[in-house]
């Protein structure tokens, strides 16, 4: 946005200081005139015939007063310029940091020293904003790089299969078509997950009243065959827990939670427990499963896209596209809730989703 040039804040403060000092000096001289000279006799003999008269005092006083006013004005301008510079020095550092950030460097921090005041509070807030922005940008870059890698993988596999089929015409076409369908399905699932993730991040969805207990039952019913195939006992308990949001996104969130709990479980004899309840004006979903023991430092990384702990989320046919808990986190955040992950001492994970209750 183009703006017309104007006075700097430092010059405005300087003029304000000098003007205030000049007005204060003028008021002081007015007081002297009003309460001193008015009582001096205005006659040729003066007071008792020996003191100066008013005309002589005025003639002597006003030149000195003019010199004093000129001194006050110069002193106000010089001192005001110096004081304004000292007062605005922190703002110059904040402006320089903003320009540095605007050029693309988000690692710079002001780190203003001294006791807390308005400028230092602004600098600390700016540093916090830069830290969050840098973290967000780094996360977006990692996400873009991982998404590109994940999308490139099925395309590369498809290209390899087609090249092999072209070089070997006798190869079983049914097997080739089946493998291409699997790879293509994976690419479609990944693309749909990315679109859903983007949609939840933007928060562009219609809100309605949703009962999370019904959503949990629907997700469990969908994934029951997978749980039975793996020998996992799947249980849904609890009461009604209503919240406001997108039924489609909340169902996807619940499905991802249950699928993650089933897939990352014991080889056989594991359990998955889903419980819904209302608690202190919120709707809570608890998903608990057995499984391998997780290191506490790995738990926070589970919501990072395309990651499972410190490994790539692409180890078997049930690993999905690596956006399970990342999508859950995005959906929860878009609905104004919170997601908490905790490693169970005996192995497995306890996931707690807290969403605002729907009071309609």
């Amino acid at each position: 946005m183009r703006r017309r040039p104007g006075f700097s804040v430092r010059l405005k403060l300087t003029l304000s200081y000098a003007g205030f000092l000049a007005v204060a000096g003028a008021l002081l001289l007015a007081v002297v005139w009003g309460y001193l000279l008015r009582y001096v006799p205005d006659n040729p003999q003066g007071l008792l015939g020996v003191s100066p008269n008013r005309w002589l005092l005025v003639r002597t006083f006003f030149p000195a007063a003019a010199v004093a006013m000129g001194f006050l004005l110069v002193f106000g301008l010089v001192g005001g310029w110096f004081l304004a510079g000292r007062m605005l020095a922190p703002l110059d550092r904040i402006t320089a940091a903003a320009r540095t950030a605007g050029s693309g460097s988000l690692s710079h921090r002001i780190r203003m020293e001294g006791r807390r005041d308005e400028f230092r509070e602004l600098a600390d807030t700016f540093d916090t904003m830069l830290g969050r922005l840098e973290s967000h940008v780094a996360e977006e870059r990692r996400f873009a790089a991982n998404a590109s890698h994940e999308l490139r993988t099925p395309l590369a596999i498809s290209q390899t299969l087609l090249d092999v089929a072209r070089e070997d015409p006798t190869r079983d076409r049914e097997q080739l078509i089946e493998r291409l369908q699997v790879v293509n399905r994976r690419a479609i699932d990944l693309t749909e997950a990315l679109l859903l993730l983007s949609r939840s991040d933007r928060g562009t969805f219609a809100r309605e009243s949703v009962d999370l207990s019904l959503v949990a039952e629907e997700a469990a019913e969908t994934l029951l065959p997978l749980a039975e195939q793996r020998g996992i006992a799947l249980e849904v308990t609890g009461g009604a827990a209503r919240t406001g949001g997108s039924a489609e996104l909340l169902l996807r969130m619940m499905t991802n939670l249950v699928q993650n709990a089933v897939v990352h479980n014991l080889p056989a004899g594991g359990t998955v427990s889903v419980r819904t309840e209302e608690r202190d004006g919120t709707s809570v979903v608890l998903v608990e499963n057995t499984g391998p023991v997780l290191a506490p430092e790995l738990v926070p990384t589970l919501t990072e896209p395309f990651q499972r702990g410190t490994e790539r989320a692409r180890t078997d046919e049930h690993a999905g596209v690596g956006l399970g808990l990342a999508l859950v986190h995005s959906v929860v955040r878009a609905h104004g809730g919170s997601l908490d992950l905790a490693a169970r001492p005996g192995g497995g994970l306890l996931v707690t989703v807290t969403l605002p209750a729907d009071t309609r």
Side-chain angles (χ1 to χ4, degrees), residues 192-235:
E192 290 179 349
L194 290 172
L195 292 174
L196 192 62
L197 184 62
S198 174
R199 178 186 171 193
S200 61
D201 283 339
R202 294 195 307 268
T204 55
F205 51 83
R207 294 181 179 270
E208 58 183 298
S209 182
V210 180
D211 189 347
L212 295 176
S213 63
L214 300 180
V215 175
E217 292 177 359
E218 183 177 352
E221 183 179 354
T222 302
L223 294 168
L224 185 59
L226 176 62
E228 293 177 345
Q229 177 185 350
R230 289 175 168 255
I232 306 296
L234 178 57
E235 180 185 23

Side-chain angles (χ1 to χ4, degrees), residues 322-336:
L323 291 174
L325 290 180
L327 184 56
V328 169
H329 185 225
S330 178
V331 172
V332 171
R333 184 174 51 194
H335 285 77

Side-chain angles (χ1 to χ4, degrees), residues 169-187:
T170 62
R171 192 179 183 86
D172 188 356
R173 295 185 59 184
E174 293 297 330
Q175 182 182 9
L176 174 64
I177 293 175
E178 182 178 353
R179 295 187 63 182
L180 284 174
Q181 285 180 337
V182 172
V183 174
N184 188 60
R185 181 71 258 172
R186 179 178 178 82

Side-chain angles (χ1 to χ4, degrees), residues 69 115 254 272 281 298 302:
M69 286 295 299
R115 297 184 179 182
M254 193 74 69
V272 174
L298 296 183
L302 297 179

Side-chain angles (χ1 to χ4, degrees), residues 5 8 13 15 29 33 41 49-50 70 72 79 101 124 127 131 153 156 163 174 202 210 246 249 265 271 278 283 303:
S8 66
L13 288 177
L15 295 176
L29 294 177
W33 169 260
V50 294
L72 287 177
D124 293 342
D127 283 344
T153 299
D163 291 341
E174 293 297 330
R202 294 195 307 268
V210 180
S246 167
L249 290 177
N265 213 307
T271 61
E278 291 187 349
S283 296
T303 56

Side-chain angles (χ1 to χ4, degrees), residues 35-340:
Y35 289 92
L36 178 60
L37 295 181
R38 64 182 298 184
Y39 295 108
V40 176
D42 190 13
N43 56 61
Q45 292 78 22
L47 183 61
L48 300 179
V50 294
S51 299
N53 58 19
R54 183 183 300 179
W55 178 84
L56 183 60
L57 286 178
V58 169
R59 183 177 179 183
T60 306
F61 175 74
F62 271 99
V67 172
M69 286 295 299
F71 173 79
L72 287 177
L73 184 60
V74 173
F75 181 78
L77 290 172
V78 175
W81 182 263
F82 175 76
L83 290 177
R86 291 289 302 272
M87 291 294 296
L88 295 176
L91 188 60
D92 292 337
R93 292 180 58 182
I94 297 174
T95 302
R99 288 198 180 100
T100 302
S103 64
S105 176
L106 301 177
S107 60
H108 178 73
R109 298 292 183 274
I110 302 173
R111 295 187 177 91
M112 191 171 295
E113 63 282 348
R115 297 184 179 182
R116 175 177 295 181
D117 58 17
E118 287 81 357
F119 284 124
R120 283 160 183 80
E121 187 172 353
L122 176 61
D124 293 342
T125 303
F126 191 79
D127 283 344
T128 302
M129 182 194 68
L130 283 180
R132 293 180 178 176
L133 185 60
E134 183 182 21
S135 175
H136 179 72
V137 170
E139 181 180 350
E140 290 293 330
R141 288 175 178 172
R142 288 196 304 270
F143 179 84
N146 290 333
S148 300
H149 183 81
E150 292 288 338
L151 285 170
R152 184 178 59 183
T153 299
L155 296 176
I157 295 175
S158 299
Q159 183 63 45
T160 301
L161 291 174
L162 292 174
D163 291 341
V164 171
R166 184 183 298 110
E167 295 175 1
D168 185 9
T170 62
R171 192 179 183 86
D172 188 356
R173 295 185 59 184
E174 293 297 330
Q175 182 182 9
L176 174 64
I177 293 175
E178 182 178 353
R179 295 187 63 182
L180 284 174
Q181 285 180 337
V182 172
V183 174
N184 188 60
R185 181 71 258 172
R186 179 178 178 82
I188 292 175
D189 290 343
L190 176 58
T191 304
E192 290 179 349
L194 290 172
L195 292 174
L196 192 62
L197 184 62
S198 174
R199 178 186 171 193
S200 61
D201 283 339
R202 294 195 307 268
T204 55
F205 51 83
R207 294 181 179 270
E208 58 183 298
S209 182
V210 180
D211 189 347
L212 295 176
S213 63
L214 300 180
V215 175
E217 292 177 359
E218 183 177 352
E221 183 179 354
T222 302
L223 294 168
L224 185 59
L226 176 62
E228 293 177 345
Q229 177 185 350
R230 289 175 168 255
I232 306 296
L234 178 57
E235 180 185 23
V236 179
T237 60
R242 305 195 72 85
T243 189
S246 167
E248 178 190 357
L249 290 177
L250 291 173
L251 177 59
R252 186 61 179 264
M253 175 200 75
M254 193 74 69
T255 302
N256 284 9
L257 284 174
V258 177
Q259 181 178 5
N260 186 77
V262 171
V263 172
H264 303 288
N265 213 307
L266 297 175
T271 61
V272 174
S273 172
V274 182
R275 179 177 176 81
T276 59
E277 61 183 35
E278 291 187 349
R279 183 192 305 169
D280 299 328
T282 61
S283 296
V284 181
V285 178
L286 299 101
V287 181
E288 187 174 8
N289 70 308
T290 55
V293 178
L294 296 175
E297 62 270 14
L298 296 183
V299 174
T301 68
L302 297 179
T303 56
E304 185 176 348
F306 307 106
Q307 300 290 329
R308 181 187 300 125
T310 58
E311 300 176 358
R312 298 291 299 174
R314 191 175 64 243
T315 57
D316 58 40
E317 68 276 12
H318 299 290
V321 295
L323 291 174
L325 290 180
L327 184 56
V328 169
H329 185 225
S330 178
V331 172
V332 171
R333 184 174 51 194
H335 285 77
S338 62
L339 175 67
D340 179 69

